Amino acid sequence: MSGLVASGRSRRYTRLLPTGALLAVLAVLVLLPIGMLVYASVTDAVPRPGAVTGALTFSHFSELLSGANASAAANTLILGLAGTALSMAIGGFLAWAAARTDVPGKAMVQLSGIIPLFVSSLVGAVAWSTLASPGQGYLNIVFRAIGVPIELNIYTLPGIAFVFGLYYAPYSFMLIYGALSLMNPELEEAAKVYGASGRRTARHVTFPLVKPAIAASAVLTFGLIVENFPVPTLLGTPGGIDTLPSFIYRLMNAAPPQSNLAAAIGVGLTVIVLLILVVQRRMLAKRRYTTVSGKGFRPRVIELGRWRWAVFALCASYITLAVILPLAALLQMSMRSQPFISGVGDFFDVSVFGFQQFTAVLNDSTFQDAFRNSMIVGLLVMLAGGVLHSTMAFIVHRTRLPGRKLVEYIAMAPLAMPAVVLSLGFLWAWFLLPVPLYGTLLILVLAYVVRFMPQGYSSVSTSLQQIHPDLEDSAYTSGAGPVRSATTITFPLIRASVVSSALMLLILSMRELSAAVFLFTSQTRVLSIVIFDYMDGGVFARAAAASILYSLVLGAIALLARRYLGVTAAPSRGA
Amino acid sequence: MHVNVDNVSVQYGDNVAVRGLSLEIASGEMVVLLGPSGCGKTSTMRSIVGLETPSSGTITIGDRVMFDKAKHIDVPANRRNVGMVFQSYAIWPHMTVAQNVGFPLRMRKVPKAESARRVADALELVGLADFGSRGASLLSGGQMQRVALARALVMRPDVLLFDEPLSNLDAKLREQLRDEIRDVQQRAGLTAVYVTHDQGEALALADRVAVMRDGVIVQLDTPERLYEAPRNSFVADFLGMSNIFHGRAAAPAPDGTQSISLDDRRPDVIAKAAAPLSGSVSLCVRPERLRLHRRRPDVAHPNVWSGTVTSLGFFGTHTRYRVRAAGMDLDVVTFAPGADLRRGDQVHVAVEPCDVEVLPEVGTVAAETEPA
């Protein structure tokens, strides 16, 4: 049990206090933005500072499936399906190769399944527009030079789906790799003993056991792609392709802004994501029979024979497309003093190389401010999120306080809120509240704390659930009160995971763009916003240089986290 | 210290785990709560230590009222001075062995020097004298359970509780540790409650055993009495007795014998019970009370059935036979070596009427609960 134990009659009231206070905070942070969004979607006016006005109307919803909305919705669906299919194919193949074959350089193959996570999809989009824009795209220049009659155009639906496929493959990889490598090999050995060939073992035993992981990763990937904002915005705009998130952004930036319609689309998008989550929940509930025992098994390895190097080549080409080529392109773009390239030879013309773009970016006060802002926001999110998410997890899993079930529901609610929509809801919520937070970094901090609440909460929850309640109960029977047992037993046991979850929050915050799009002002830009602005303003070389610096910062933090805390858990959402 | 559990119920939502249970434990006594999973034994024990909040009743340890629903008294677990040894050992992995054992003393603000001495004594007692500075996560299961025992002993608890402490250990270690637990408990004169579903463990450890089912105590007795006179077929079955059959008892004849009919396909069994029952009953014949004969016994014998040996096993001290006779599958144990029977041999099975126990069927007894 380990509830907060107190004797006497006063207990009833003191018990209401902790959850009551927490729920009040969560209501303002999570529920109010959702409420404001719904409110804006059914009225004809926008929330203004301190006042809620407007007449009730459902006309925005009737516009949802007409004209530009309909095509944005269709694009969202197409990109979601195509991107998911591609990323599943890539991730599944890599997982199989790394977990079950004797492919050369296994450790490298495994790493290549994860590394692209650290290239944010924003940077990926910037890089691929350098590589495969029609005409001057670097790959097109190379193709022309070697006589390949192909003209790549990344600003198309297949192009955008391709970029999604590349950068969301790691999610499928992680889930499927986990299922494949943790499966008890005796299950497959038993199939062999009872007469199944390798192929039939795979079909009747291995595949059915991995199926839940495959299905879960498909649903997860689809949800992430559907809500992604930077990729369709940066790559779709030149070709006039909108998805729902990018369309919301354009509506809000139109003159005058069509806020109510944007809100209605936001509600629609939220409903879609919510449905996906329901499907995912059901799948996970059925997943109980999985054979994952957490024991270190040595899974059965398939000998590839002469196919070894072919498989290796496929794995290597993925990491080339997802990481090496993009970074090389960004470097090329940012080092050139002269952007025009007439032929392949120009790539190697050292005379035009220089660090002008980097110095320009580093000396740009906008970039400097953004760097400082990103660090401040990241650290504050790490602190505030670490405390808030851990407190929530503790109350839900380690007390019997009334209202704790509600805390759990609210903790997971932001999962259903696409980041752009969350940003919109936050904007209006803090218009309404009599606290002048808009225009400060604090509103970004709060938005990020909410955005990453599901991840922060579940990572602390998982580690709390792994602590056997007997460990705390035995502290009680040994004479420790609730506070002492928390400080001497529970906290020391989860400290490592709280710290690693806080570091994950730092990395996620530094990467985040979408949740900030409606909340920043010229005083409170963060790094991702600055890169986005460079791209939007057409200064590609500067965007490339900033992307490289940005990736270096992210990489450094990830490395430090890994080095000092063994944190390998990759960030699981966000752009 | 004397423990009194009075009319305690434990409820989880609509599910009642313990129903108005009463139990008195004398100072220095070891009571074993025995029963299948879900019978309420663990909930009862956790109510005594204060990890579970009963929905009604009172619990007193010594002179202190620990729990009284009516008076809103609920002393938290950390102030009850009740020690507990957990099934999962519950050894804190981030502390050394000595830190684990010393934890209760740290909570009681015992001075360092005295604490160190008492920890050393406790570790000595459980045979881990040299293990104090080891990390607790590096121990084997048996060692962990010894540390858990030392941690419970070091606080000099008023009552010591054991929650299936041996169920995660292998058979040999289990017996060894079981005897050590009994030894330590008796030497220290500790009042103890021990929860298990293993009847052998219960009989070997207990001063008294409480057999539980569906949240109530079905029978509370010394191990000997329990084994000799199980209160009903559930107790007999749970204590591992075989040869239990359901039947209907006829009214006893003047000489005290009565005939019990099983069904149409099987012969009646003649019993002679001290306190005869009638109507729906269970009858139980202990394997060692059955006799095997190669030839039909000459004497006029009421219960002789011919049958076939279907399987047998030699256990060193005794041999166990499975005999199919008169539509019954009977377990028979003989201690005489050299019976020289084989599978498929024809035999005659005999039992004296006074060795046929007649027990109430479960659920037909008006009051299943043992009065406290």
Side-chain angles (χ1 to χ4, degrees):
Chain A
M1 71 139 226
S2 57
L4 291 188
V5 201
S7 47
R9 253 162 242 234
S10 62
R11 151 161 86 172
R12 198 148 299 156
Y13 306 101
T14 55
R15 276 161 64 93
L16 287 175
L17 209 67
T19 20
L22 185 60
L23 284 171
V25 170
L26 292 177
V28 171
L29 284 182
V30 183
L31 302 182
L32 187 63
I34 298 176
M36 291 311 291
L37 183 79
V38 175
Y39 158 77
S41 71
V42 294
T43 50
D44 57 5
V46 184
R48 306 225 165 271
V52 175
T53 51
L56 191 69
T57 167
F58 289 100
S59 62
H60 315 302
F61 283 99
S62 61
E63 286 175 54
L64 271 190
L65 286 176
S66 61
N69 295 338
S71 81
N75 288 338
T76 309
L77 188 69
I78 293 168
L79 287 174
L81 291 175
T84 303
L86 184 60
S87 65
M88 298 281 305
I90 298 173
F93 180 77
L94 285 174
W96 170 77
R100 292 307 186 88
T101 70
D102 59 348
V103 65
K106 225 170 161 167
M108 201 214 83
V109 171
Q110 193 194 335
L111 213 59
S112 70
I114 298 172
I115 284 189
L117 270 183
F118 293 97
V119 180
S120 81
S121 66
L122 169 67
V123 173
V126 172
W128 272 95
S129 74
T130 314
L131 279 167
S133 58
Q136 277 293 297
Y138 291 171
L139 288 178
N140 284 326
I141 293 171
V142 173
F143 284 170
R144 275 198 299 276
I146 57 176
V148 178
I150 298 174
E151 171 90 18
L152 296 175
N153 184 358
I154 204 76
Y155 304 131
T156 55
L157 281 175
I160 299 171
F162 171 75
V163 171
F164 276 138
L166 283 185
Y167 293 101
Y168 285 103
Y171 296 92
S172 330
F173 171 81
M174 288 191 296
L175 283 172
I176 300 172
Y177 179 81
L180 278 175
S181 57
L182 290 175
M183 185 185 299
N184 184 345
E186 287 178 2
L187 293 169
E188 288 168 294
E189 284 163 8
K192 269 262 161 83
V193 169
Y194 291 114
S197 63
R199 186 166 304 221
R200 291 180 56 168
T201 302
R203 201 176 102 205
H204 294 290
V205 177
T206 317
F207 183 70
L209 287 173
V210 185
K211 216 162 66 179
I214 294 176
S217 66
V219 173
L220 171 73
T221 310
F222 185 78
L224 289 171
I225 292 178
V226 162
E227 73 134 31
N228 183 291
F229 165 73
V231 174
T233 309
L234 292 181
L235 300 183
T237 311
I241 298 169
D242 265 318
T243 63
L244 292 177
S246 71
F247 195 53
I248 291 176
Y249 179 71
R250 288 213 298 130
L251 286 173
M252 288 299 290
N253 282 349
Q258 290 178 266
S259 312
N260 300 107
L261 182 56
I265 297 175
V267 170
L269 189 54
T270 305
V271 170
I272 294 175
V273 177
L274 200 64
L275 287 176
I276 295 171
L277 284 171
V278 170
V279 172
Q280 188 186 21
R281 272 241 142 139
R282 295 203 152 185
M283 283 180 173
L284 288 176
K286 273 194 243 161
R287 214 179 144 187
R288 286 290 137 81
Y289 68 85
T290 10
T291 49
V292 176
S293 67
K295 281 189 184 162
F297 287 119
R298 180 186 291 271
R300 216 164 50 98
V301 163
I302 296 163
E303 284 172 20
L304 293 171
R306 61 204 164 102
W307 294 101
R308 279 182 83 204
W309 290 99
V311 170
F312 177 80
L314 279 173
C315 298
S317 54
Y318 168 64
I319 199 74
T320 308
L321 289 175
V323 180
I324 298 172
L325 266 186
L327 288 185
L330 289 176
L331 207 59
Q332 174 76 231
M333 172 73 107
S334 57
M335 296 282 282
R336 301 188 67 82
S337 55
Q338 193 196 353
F340 184 73
I341 298 174
S342 55
V344 174
D346 287 2
F347 287 130
F348 306 100
D349 180 5
V350 188
S351 67
V352 301
F353 287 177
F355 290 99
Q356 298 92 327
Q357 290 300 341
F358 287 98
T359 22
V361 168
L362 287 171
N363 286 325
D364 184 349
S365 66
T366 314
F367 187 85
Q368 293 168 350
D369 290 348
F371 180 73
R372 202 193 54 230
N373 288 343
S374 277
M375 288 308 288
I376 293 172
V377 169
L379 291 171
L380 285 177
V381 170
M382 184 169 145
L383 278 178
V387 171
L388 183 68
H389 303 161
S390 310
T391 309
M392 292 166 72
F394 186 85
I395 283 186
V396 171
H397 295 288
R398 280 305 189 256
T399 72
R400 287 184 165 183
L401 294 171
R404 62 187 197 284
K405 208 69 218 164
L406 199 58
V407 172
E408 183 169 30
Y409 286 130
I410 297 179
M412 299 316 281
L415 264 191
M417 291 268 279
V420 178
V421 178
L422 176 79
S423 193
L424 208 52
F426 246 75
L427 174 72
W428 290 329
W430 291 93
F431 263 178
L432 188 73
L433 290 169
V435 187
L437 223 52
Y438 180 76
T440 67
L441 286 175
L442 223 48
I443 194 168
L444 290 177
V445 172
L446 293 182
Y448 289 4
V449 165
V450 172
R451 164 109 164 114
F452 304 127
M453 189 175 281
Q455 289 96 316
Y457 167 82
S458 9
S459 96
V460 180
S461 291
T462 310
S463 64
L464 269 177
Q465 282 170 301
Q466 279 163 354
I467 297 173
H468 200 294
D470 281 358
L471 288 173
E472 286 150 337
D473 283 352
S474 63
Y476 283 99
T477 63
S478 297
V483 175
R484 291 206 79 178
S485 101
T487 54
T488 54
I489 307 296
T490 318
F491 191 68
L493 287 173
I494 61 163
R495 185 167 45 205
S497 79
V498 169
V499 171
S500 78
S501 131
L503 272 164
M504 180 182 78
L505 291 181
L506 175 63
I507 296 173
L508 288 173
S509 307
M510 298 284 292
R511 271 172 44 140
E512 183 64 19
L513 164 71
S514 320
V517 285
F518 300 123
L519 299 177
F520 74 93
T521 63
S522 57
Q523 304 303 308
T524 59
R525 286 202 186 93
V526 287
L527 283 178
S528 53
I529 293 288
V530 167
I531 294 172
F532 186 77
D533 280 355
Y534 284 151
M535 278 300 280
D536 221 22
V539 272
F540 295 121
R542 200 159 288 191
S547 294
I548 286 180
L549 293 170
Y550 180 51
S551 300
L552 284 177
V553 172
L554 281 173
I557 295 172
L559 266 182
L560 281 176
R562 200 190 159 116
R563 175 90 178 264
Y564 290 103
L565 297 138
V567 182
T568 48
S572 57
R573 218 171 129 105
Chain B
M1 208 171 277
H2 168 260
V3 178
N4 188 12
V5 176
D6 188 30
N7 200 22
V8 162
S9 296
V10 180
Q11 216 167 333
Y12 309 104
D14 291 339
N15 179 19
V16 184
V18 178
R19 305 165 191 271
L21 180 138
S22 298
L23 175 66
E24 283 212 48
I25 304 165
S27 190
E29 187 185 29
M30 165 96 93
V31 167
V32 173
L33 304 180
L34 174 69
S37 63
C39 72
K41 55 190 192 296
T42 299
S43 300
T44 305
M45 188 188 61
R46 287 173 70 87
S47 300
I48 296 174
V49 70
L51 292 173
E52 208 74 70
T53 310
S55 47
S56 67
T58 60
I59 296 170
T60 316
I61 297 175
D63 300 327
R64 281 176 78 199
V65 178
M66 294 298 180
F67 179 82
D68 189 335
K69 180 72 183 175
K71 290 183 185 153
H72 300 287
I73 297 172
D74 185 6
V75 178
N78 52 312
R79 301 205 201 106
R80 289 197 185 188
N81 202 36
V82 175
M84 179 156 168
V85 176
F86 291 81
Q87 180 176 11
S88 64
Y89 318 134
I91 298 302
W92 300 303
H94 59 300
M95 299 182 186
T96 63
V97 168
Q99 283 170 339
N100 263 281
V101 177
F103 187 85
L105 303 178
R106 200 171 122 208
M107 293 302 118
R108 286 166 176 74
K109 300 195 172 61
V110 173
K112 282 241 168 74
E114 190 197 338
S115 166
R117 190 177 48 74
R118 279 169 68 178
V119 168
D121 286 351
L123 283 175
E124 171 98 53
L125 193 66
V126 299
L128 292 176
D130 302 329
F131 283 67
S133 55
R134 287 222 197 160
S137 53
L138 302 169
L139 302 174
S140 70
Q143 288 167 339
M144 285 215 200
Q145 204 50 295
R146 288 199 161 92
V147 174
L149 183 59
R151 182 175 62 191
L153 292 171
V154 81
M155 62 190 261
R156 294 175 187 156
D158 294 331
V159 184
L160 183 47
L161 308 180
F162 297 89
D163 182 12
E164 312 214 17
L166 307 178
S167 57
N168 290 337
L169 303 174
D170 64 56
K172 198 175 165 202
L173 195 57
R174 195 183 307 182
E175 268 181 37
Q176 189 188 345
L177 216 51
R178 181 192 72 196
D179 294 343
E180 284 178 31
I181 286 177
R182 181 60 165 161
D183 185 50
V184 166
Q185 179 260 333
Q186 285 184 317
R187 269 199 288 163
L190 278 167
T191 310
V193 178
Y194 190 108
V195 161
T196 183
H197 61 262
D198 180 325
Q199 83 279 4
E201 211 168 283
L203 296 178
L205 274 168
D207 290 309
R208 282 189 300 159
V209 179
V211 181
M212 291 185 66
R213 185 190 192 217
D214 292 339
V216 297
I217 295 176
V218 182
Q219 185 171 7
L220 175 62
D221 251 322
T222 61
E224 296 82 5
R225 283 280 304 154
L226 201 68
Y227 194 75
E228 281 310 313
R231 197 157 190 258
N232 61 26
S233 60
F234 170 77
V235 176
D237 194 23
F238 202 77
L239 288 177
M241 293 173 194
S242 40
N243 306 332
I244 298 175
F245 301 97
H246 302 294
R248 289 197 68 79
D255 66 348
T257 60
Q258 63 183 144
S259 152
I260 296 158
S261 56
L262 301 181
D263 55 43
D264 297 344
R265 291 177 291 110
R266 295 185 278 195
D268 288 0
V269 177
I270 309 300
K272 185 174 181 182
L277 296 164
S278 55
S280 192
V281 295
S282 284
L283 61 86
C284 166
V285 186
R286 315 226 169 197
E288 64 272 21
R289 301 281 162 81
L290 284 164
R291 297 273 171 270
L292 289 181
H293 303 275
R294 278 196 174 275
R295 255 173 267 133
R296 191 178 172 82
D298 296 333
V299 276
H301 212 296
N303 298 323
V304 179
W305 310 294
S306 58
T308 316
V309 176
T310 54
S311 67
L312 70 164
F314 178 60
F315 288 84
T317 56
H318 63 276
T319 308
R320 204 170 186 108
Y321 298 92
R322 189 102 175 138
V323 178
R324 177 94 190 147
M328 296 180 282
D329 281 311
L330 294 167
D331 273 334
V332 184
V333 164
T334 64
F335 294 92
D340 202 26
L341 287 168
R342 290 167 191 283
R343 213 171 91 88
D345 282 359
Q346 296 294 313
V347 288
H348 301 277
V349 189
V351 63
E352 297 292 334
C354 58
D355 284 334
V356 176
E357 290 165 69
V358 180
L359 304 171
E361 288 267 15
V362 183
T364 59
V365 193
E368 267 192 18
T369 354
E370 181 82 358

